[in-house]
Amino acid sequence: GLRPDEARLLALGEQVYTRNCAACHGAQLQGQPNWRQRDAQGLLPAPPHDASGHTWHHPDEVLIRITKHGVASGAGLKSYQTAMPIYDGVLSDEEIVAVLSWIKAQWPAHIRARHDGMNQAAARQR
């Protein structure tokens, strides 16, 4: 799972985010403009990863799968088309956990608490 209170991991996560994610998801996690509206190619722009987005609506396991294996496979949306790269073989598992932990560490406390509750519910369903 994500570890948003681990300083060493967060330092790595910030580096990974800056290098691999910020170009699309924004230096301030703000996403691309009009991220809910498909572009001319029919793709959705990169969503924000701050509290205004829906990243925190997904448990850790789903976020890790989406980052590693892509949106279609990770979220179980077979025909989903996206510009987001698949990071399996590009980022290590630790780097994926680090970057997602860093993103979570940027959320306000009440959003982090809701996300923790979602993870607990997901663990109970296994």
Side-chain angles (χ1 to χ4, degrees):
L2 305 187
R3 304 189 307 272
D5 299 313
E6 201 173 296
R8 182 198 58 78
L9 191 70
L10 297 183
L12 173 62
E14 185 173 17
Q15 291 173 355
V16 171
Y17 185 86
T18 300
R19 209 170 46 243
N20 297 278
C21 315
C24 294
H25 290 285
Q28 306 301 313
L29 309 177
Q30 74 272 24
Q32 293 174 326
N34 304 314
W35 62 276
R36 289 185 175 97
Q37 296 170 4
R38 294 191 183 279
D39 65 16
Q41 288 77 42
L43 303 178
L44 287 169
H49 287 316
D50 61 15
S52 75
H54 57 78
T55 307
W56 60 270
H57 295 212
H58 303 290
D60 292 356
E61 188 182 320
V62 172
L63 296 176
I64 291 166
R65 278 199 324 256
I66 286 172
T67 307
K68 184 170 183 169
H69 301 294
V71 179
S73 173
L77 303 169
K78 298 226 179 303
S79 61
Y80 190 84
Q81 298 293 307
T82 179
M84 180 162 162
I86 291 171
Y87 285 98
D88 190 20
V90 176
L91 298 177
S92 68
D93 289 352
E94 184 186 24
E95 287 172 320
I96 291 171
V97 168
V99 73
L100 292 168
S101 295
W102 181 79
I103 289 168
K104 181 171 181 169
Q106 311 313 303
W107 299 340
H110 72 282
I111 296 288
R112 284 177 63 175
R114 287 179 65 182
H115 189 251
D116 290 342
M118 198 174 310
N119 282 318
Q120 290 163 358
R124 284 193 299 271
Q125 289 175 350
R126 272 192 225 117

